[in-house]
Amino acid sequence: MMEDETFTDISGKTISLDCQSHSSFCREFTVSSPKVSIGKVMVYTCSVWLLAYAAFFITQNTAVLSSAILITLVGMMFHIHFVKVDHESLLVIGSLGIQVSSSYASGREITTFIEMSKIKDIVINEAIYMHQIIYYLCVLLKDPSEPNAVSSVVPLFQVSQRLWVEEEVEVCRLRPGVIPSVLNFPAHLGRVRARKTTTKQP
Amino acid sequence: MIIKVPFFDSAGIISVIIARLYVCIFEDFSGNDISLELLEAEAADVMVLKIFFPQCCNRADSGLLVGRWISGHDSAVVLAVIHYPFIPGQVKQYVQQMQAQSGVELSVLGSWSLPKEGQEGMESFLRDLSTIFPQQRWLQIRRQMGKTGFTCEVLNRDQNGIAAQRTVKKEKKEEEEDGDGDAEEKEEEEEEEEEKVIFVHYEQRKVMLSQLHPIESGDAKTDPPSELRQVFQTVALSQPLFFLDKYDDGPLKSTHWQSEGREASIIVELLKQASVPLCLLLSWLLSVWTWICSVRIFNFYPLRFLSTKLSTCVQLSYRTEHMKTLSSPKPAASHTQFMRKANMLVSVLVDVALGVLLMLWLYRDDHITMLANTLVPAADHVAKELDQLLQWLMGAPAGLKMNRALDQVLGRFFLYHIHLWISYIHLMSPFIEGILWYGGLSACLGLSFALSLLSDMVALFTFHIYCFYVYGARLYCLKIYGLSSLWRLFRGKKWNVLRQRVDSCSYDLDQLFIGTLLFTILLFLLPTTALYYLVFTLLRLVVVLFQGVLHLSVDFINSFPLFAVGLRICRSYRLAEGVKFRVLCDEPGVALHLLMEINPLKVSTVVQTYQTPTYSCYPRDSWLALVKKLFVGELIYPWRHKTTKAD
């Protein structure tokens, strides 16, 4: 099942989703961000170099020009290696676990694998950011010492959603009978219910 | 908008994820209600069997699979393939022998067939083998040359063996129907258990040598280890199984990672052989050294006190502890101990190498004489600058008007001190070169020793600044306490020592009179004392800063885990944070094949985990507490050594 439609994220940029089904119990979801636009690169480079030329005109020091070139190069390399995310993918393997990976524009990949035994649930969490409420998908991990508690919340597709959530969540205990997710909720409840947290967004 | 989601047991997660992705990422909050309707599905209990298959056995000849079933997780780890021809009794004996030697619950998992030309009759032979080896489940894995996918049949068996026959009959029926024998997903009309198979390919040698972090100690565990941890442990503990392979002359021929070509470095083997006599020599040397140190004459009070203050002696005792750990002839029991020993050894070697380099630089081109010739004039220069500073303080520093009498007293006191110190330096000047020459020899023990010696020498040469600071601080502290106490008297209050609080108190007239007089005197003498205190505290802080830099570098040399970082860079699979999976082939008729690769630990985590504990803890106080101490006049010791070594 391959789908390629265009959607927009919270800031209005277009992103695309690709679902690939390797088997009946193994699927991969990829969210791709837009690529670096050549127009923006040219605008930034030209503005930096114009400023450098202006400084050179005033000070008559060639070190300004070479430092401007160096800054542009280093900044671009830093941006594509550490900042610009090309695509993020989620590989779900039934009864093994979930693998989350982000791939940067320079080809660097950061991968994390969460075993099935550590996953408590996958929920949609609400977050209040300034004037809007944003929803994000996250994985709840089990606390090794207490079977009923949640040790940490791992948001999925962090960078595509431009979302940085504080990872230290206090261990929250659930009262018996409380249903934390939709996976096994009673049939008469038809709507998704989620918890509210506050997060920070860059 | 209603999204209908079919609700199966484990595939249900996937469907719900798809639905939720649509809901949350792709904004549809323009007021539309989105609800999920879970459809009841046909009761189909999906069980997935995971088989961890080593990459080295992908092209092995047909034979029996030896490995371990991981209890509780429905998975199996294949460790080796034993080839034809073999005698089943010998195989059973071999497996039991390996189980006893390694402590891993080994068993024959099933059969593996990669038919070459002229071996068509293998299929029925393989099926008959399942009756010889008594197993709950028997795996029959087949592969055709030229095709990438494997096919696997699982024979379940209960005590009577009836179920096995039933599934065998079913397979035969399906084989007749399909005609090509692929029976990986058993789509049965009756509602029976479906068994789906995932093949996880792993590189055996890397998994054997790797260590999963965070390292869990084996004793007192509340939860059983997770599936991946058990896989790693199984492969790591099965070393006895990997001794013999198909190229050896034994009763059984097996294929595992050693069949790809043995890898051993002769240098490592030679070092291992040479390490035992070296350890014995080292422990003998250490015993002699400890005997010298414990001679009674060193236990007298001043020497013992000095040895705790001088950083060279502390560093010496620290390194002696390390050498004692290194010189034990027993090999390291666990991964943590091995890493600690290796880090200590590498750090000692690097330290000594850097120290020897420093020595080479010092003793060539008469650098020592040059240093000695600049030292005495430098000390003279410092003394002259201090002189000038004191003269300035005794006058009208920065336009402030000081109390003449107190100024003169303090100024002359400090000037006499400086004069004493300068004469002492001039007395020592012929010996300085000799001291430097012999002190430089200590660099052969390591760069950290040279640095601690330098720090000690700086401390000794600036002893007068330390004395001035102590005098100034004590005077200032006394003054501040006196002032605060007399201020309370001024207001009619008193400090209650019993209750640790301020109480009101009625004083007599003469008490009040004398108290007020003293208070005034102290208050007007405060600027002078405060200025002297300020100047000498600043000087002391400069010296402390320089000493602190030296201590920090010594600490860095002591604690940085060079071996662990080197291992992370060169052999990154040894330190694993987790694993990553890659889908190898996903053709519709064939089982799912995944490749499991090792995800190495981040360098910052490596440094944090494997840091050697050192003897210093700094900074002792937080910045706020330090400023408060400075204000009140308490003496500060910012670089304090730990009295007990925490392991």
Side-chain angles (χ1 to χ4, degrees):
Chain A
M1 173 176 63
M2 308 264 282
E3 291 172 25
D4 231 2
E5 308 165 34
T6 46
F7 302 94
T8 59
D9 74 354
I10 300 164
S11 352
K13 297 204 189 72
T14 39
I15 52 179
S16 64
L17 170 74
D18 179 32
C19 312
Q20 204 182 357
S21 165
H22 298 289
S23 153
S24 69
F25 47 84
C26 173
R27 301 220 191 146
E28 184 164 8
F29 305 95
T30 313
V31 174
S32 320
S33 305
K35 308 272 188 279
V36 182
S37 77
I38 197 101
K40 262 174 96 171
V41 170
M42 304 248 334
V43 161
Y44 276 129
T45 322
C46 289
S47 54
V48 169
W49 284 354
L50 274 175
L51 279 174
Y53 270 115
F56 173 67
F57 187 67
I58 296 172
T59 59
Q60 294 295 323
N61 190 1
T62 51
V64 174
L65 291 176
S66 28
S67 60
I69 294 176
L70 211 65
I71 288 173
T72 326
L73 276 176
V74 168
M76 263 204 293
M77 288 202 309
F78 182 81
H79 185 77
I80 59 173
H81 195 71
F82 290 108
V83 175
K84 181 74 193 134
V85 168
D86 191 41
H87 59 264
E88 290 178 296
S89 71
L90 176 76
L91 175 68
V92 181
I93 309 168
S95 87
L96 252 186
I98 293 182
Q99 171 166 294
V100 180
S101 107
S102 343
S103 153
Y104 289 84
S106 66
R108 179 171 86 115
E109 273 206 35
I110 298 185
T111 321
T112 325
F113 179 73
I114 308 171
E115 283 184 75
M116 200 55 114
S117 54
K118 293 216 179 79
I119 298 177
K120 190 171 172 59
D121 208 345
I122 300 181
V123 293
I124 299 179
N125 216 354
E126 284 177 340
I128 301 173
Y129 174 68
M130 290 220 236
H131 58 277
Q132 52 178 321
I133 297 179
I134 53 177
Y135 298 85
Y136 61 98
L137 196 62
C138 60
V139 180
L140 299 177
L141 299 182
K142 277 190 199 157
D143 194 21
S145 48
E146 262 185 84
N148 271 338
V150 173
S151 83
S152 57
V153 175
V154 180
L156 301 176
F157 303 113
Q158 268 195 354
V159 184
S160 307
Q161 294 185 82
R162 303 190 59 73
L163 184 72
W164 274 263
V165 178
E166 289 177 27
E167 286 196 13
E168 285 111 32
V169 172
E170 279 175 30
V171 172
C172 39
R173 254 167 232 95
L174 303 170
R175 273 180 293 143
V178 168
I179 302 154
S181 87
V182 184
L183 265 186
N184 40 5
F185 77 120
H188 64 273
L189 295 174
R191 194 170 285 179
V192 172
R193 287 194 195 280
R195 278 172 303 179
K196 287 188 180 14
T197 53
T198 52
T199 61
K200 41 178 200 279
Q201 216 187 8
Chain B
M1 182 162 86
I2 298 178
I3 302 178
K4 288 200 169 48
V5 173
F7 189 67
F8 296 103
D9 199 8
S10 64
I13 300 178
I14 296 150
S15 323
V16 180
I17 289 179
I18 302 175
R20 286 174 168 169
L21 273 175
Y22 276 108
V23 168
C24 81
I25 297 185
F26 312 116
E27 277 204 74
D28 199 3
F29 304 112
S30 49
N32 292 349
D33 275 345
I34 302 173
S35 61
L36 296 178
E37 231 183 62
L38 299 180
L39 300 178
E40 293 294 321
E42 307 87 42
D45 209 9
V46 177
M47 270 177 23
V48 182
L49 175 67
K50 293 157 273 191
I51 300 178
F52 290 85
F53 202 80
Q55 278 188 315
C56 47
C57 296
N58 276 352
R59 292 181 189 280
D61 294 331
S62 315
L64 284 176
L65 295 167
V66 174
R68 177 188 175 212
W69 285 100
I70 297 185
S71 54
H73 283 113
D74 210 12
S75 46
V77 181
V78 174
L79 292 168
V81 177
I82 298 183
H83 302 299
Y84 303 114
F86 56 79
I87 304 172
Q90 275 191 337
V91 172
K92 280 192 207 174
Q93 203 187 13
Y94 181 67
V95 168
Q96 274 171 0
Q97 196 187 356
M98 288 300 126
Q99 188 169 341
Q101 273 182 12
S102 63
V104 177
E105 299 143 1
L106 295 173
S107 59
V108 177
L109 297 174
S111 67
W112 160 254
S113 109
L114 179 64
K116 304 218 160 74
E117 299 85 26
Q119 284 186 345
E120 278 84 17
M122 282 294 184
E123 307 295 325
S124 46
F125 179 54
L126 290 169
R127 217 164 291 128
D128 294 336
L129 278 173
S130 65
T131 51
I132 304 177
F133 296 97
Q135 297 299 333
Q136 269 302 97
R137 280 195 275 197
W138 182 260
L139 303 171
Q140 270 182 253
I141 308 183
R142 274 197 306 250
R143 185 187 176 189
Q144 306 283 338
M145 284 297 280
K147 279 199 196 170
T148 44
F150 297 176
T151 53
C152 174
E153 295 160 15
V154 181
L155 300 179
N156 283 310
R157 177 188 318 186
D158 59 13
Q159 282 105 359
N160 303 340
I162 298 175
Q165 291 175 5
R166 207 189 324 148
T167 26
V168 166
K169 253 198 282 176
K170 266 212 182 328
E171 281 171 36
K172 285 203 176 123
K173 223 188 348 176
E174 276 159 39
E175 277 172 6
E176 284 152 21
E177 286 168 5
D178 297 345
D180 62 357
D182 278 6
E184 171 257 318
E185 286 183 41
K186 298 186 181 138
E187 311 272 8
E188 286 144 1
E189 285 79 26
E190 298 92 348
E191 293 193 358
E192 271 193 9
E193 295 190 351
E194 278 188 18
E195 196 125 42
K196 302 194 176 170
V197 181
I198 303 182
F199 282 97
V200 181
H201 294 264
Y202 68 96
E203 205 179 316
Q204 204 168 39
R205 183 172 164 267
K206 289 196 178 168
V207 171
M208 185 179 81
L209 293 171
S210 164
Q211 167 72 36
L212 264 184
H213 293 77
I215 305 173
E216 284 172 18
S217 52
D219 35 276
K221 289 267 293 93
T222 46
D223 308 320
S226 69
E227 184 178 9
L228 282 175
R229 219 169 259 275
Q230 290 201 37
V231 170
F232 274 69
Q233 269 172 9
T234 311
V235 182
L237 292 171
S238 313
Q239 302 255 13
L241 190 61
F242 302 136
F243 279 153
L244 296 174
D245 72 346
K246 65 183 184 193
Y247 301 113
D248 287 315
D249 290 330
L252 294 171
K253 304 209 180 294
S254 54
T255 301
H256 40 73
W257 68 268
Q258 294 265 28
S259 317
E260 288 178 342
R262 271 176 232 266
E263 287 181 33
S265 163
I266 196 160
I267 300 178
V268 171
E269 296 298 318
L270 280 174
L271 280 175
K272 277 191 197 161
Q273 295 297 318
S275 65
V276 174
L278 269 179
C279 281
L280 287 173
L281 178 69
L282 199 61
S283 44
W284 178 77
L285 281 172
L286 277 176
S287 60
V288 168
W289 171 250
T290 341
W291 176 79
I292 294 177
C293 284
S294 61
V295 167
R296 286 291 293 270
I297 194 168
F298 287 134
N299 274 359
F300 287 144
Y301 168 67
L303 281 173
R304 173 152 271 209
F305 176 71
L306 264 185
S307 72
T308 52
K309 290 294 174 196
L310 286 177
S311 50
T312 319
C313 300
V314 181
Q315 176 73 8
L316 206 62
S317 66
Y318 179 71
R319 276 288 188 233
T320 322
E321 287 294 322
H322 277 191
M323 300 303 260
K324 275 199 198 133
T325 326
L326 281 177
S327 68
S328 75
K330 285 187 303 201
S334 70
H335 174 86
T336 330
Q337 274 185 10
F338 168 71
M339 293 297 283
R340 189 170 280 190
K341 272 179 110 168
N343 281 327
M344 278 185 206
L345 181 68
V346 172
S347 115
V348 166
L349 286 176
V350 167
D351 200 12
V352 169
L354 287 174
V356 167
L357 275 177
L358 180 70
M359 257 175 66
L360 281 177
W361 176 80
L362 267 181
Y363 289 100
R364 166 194 298 215
D365 297 337
D366 267 347
H367 276 135
I368 297 244
T369 335
M370 210 175 63
L371 269 177
N373 289 344
T374 50
L375 211 64
V376 175
D380 265 341
H381 179 77
V382 166
K384 212 152 35 103
E385 291 293 320
L386 273 178
D387 236 0
Q388 279 182 355
L389 180 70
L390 282 169
Q391 297 288 354
W392 181 68
L393 281 178
M394 276 166 45
L400 294 170
K401 196 138 189 271
M402 316 297 287
N403 181 291
R404 192 140 194 88
L406 185 63
D407 221 357
Q408 296 285 328
V409 163
L410 286 176
R412 286 219 192 96
F413 177 61
F414 289 135
L415 273 174
Y416 183 62
H417 243 267
I418 293 179
H419 169 77
L420 273 180
W421 182 73
I422 276 291
S423 8
Y424 162 72
I425 292 278
H426 282 184
L427 205 69
M428 289 269 297
S429 61
F431 305 113
I432 285 192
E433 188 171 340
I435 293 175
L436 273 181
W437 205 90
Y438 288 110
L441 280 182
S442 76
C444 74
L445 283 174
L447 184 66
S448 51
F449 284 101
L451 288 176
S452 1
L453 201 68
L454 180 66
S455 151
D456 284 336
M457 277 173 53
V458 162
L460 279 175
F461 282 135
T462 56
F463 191 63
H464 56 312
I465 296 184
Y466 176 61
C467 285
F468 290 170
Y469 163 69
V470 171
Y471 300 152
R474 284 271 183 250
L475 211 61
Y476 178 74
C477 180
L478 268 170
K479 187 160 277 210
I480 290 286
Y481 274 115
L483 268 177
S484 55
S485 159
L486 289 173
W487 170 245
R488 275 181 234 123
L489 177 133
F490 210 58
R491 287 157 49 218
K493 298 217 186 294
K494 172 176 106 151
W495 174 254
N496 190 340
V497 185
L498 207 61
R499 294 291 187 98
Q500 296 286 318
R501 65 172 188 202
V502 177
D503 278 339
S504 60
C505 167
S506 63
Y507 291 99
D508 292 338
L509 193 63
D510 45 353
Q511 283 175 328
L512 276 176
F513 182 61
I514 295 180
T516 315
L517 206 65
L518 282 174
F519 175 74
T520 326
I521 293 175
L522 282 178
L523 184 67
F524 288 128
L525 289 180
L526 185 66
T528 319
T529 331
L531 201 67
Y532 274 92
Y533 172 67
L534 187 73
V535 165
F536 290 126
T537 310
L538 283 175
L539 282 175
R540 171 84 186 134
L541 282 178
V542 164
V543 172
V544 160
L545 213 68
F546 181 64
Q547 272 194 299
V549 166
L550 288 174
H551 281 219
L552 266 178
S553 27
V554 168
D555 209 55
F556 179 73
I557 296 176
N558 280 342
S559 74
F560 191 70
L562 261 179
F563 179 75
V565 170
L567 202 65
R568 165 67 183 85
I569 293 174
C570 304
R571 302 260 184 274
S572 54
Y573 56 83
R574 295 279 296 257
L575 305 168
E577 188 185 29
V579 293
K580 11 186 210 211
F581 288 94
R582 204 151 52 92
V583 179
L584 279 182
C585 95
D586 52 357
E587 292 151 33
V590 183
L592 181 68
H593 289 265
L594 299 169
L595 175 69
M596 183 172 89
E597 288 166 322
I598 295 181
N599 207 8
L601 214 52
K602 285 196 285 242
V603 181
S604 53
T605 325
V606 170
V607 172
Q608 221 174 350
T609 322
Y610 291 109
Q611 251 178 352
T612 325
T614 58
Y615 49 77
S616 58
C617 53
Y618 48 84
R620 198 155 170 256
D621 304 303
S622 68
W623 287 111
L624 207 62
L626 195 72
V627 168
K628 183 169 170 284
K629 273 191 176 174
L630 280 176
F631 192 68
V632 171
E634 268 180 52
L635 290 175
I636 46 173
Y637 305 99
W639 313 104
R640 176 59 75 114
H641 295 315
K642 270 197 259 211
T643 44
T644 55
K645 263 202 300 280
D647 218 5

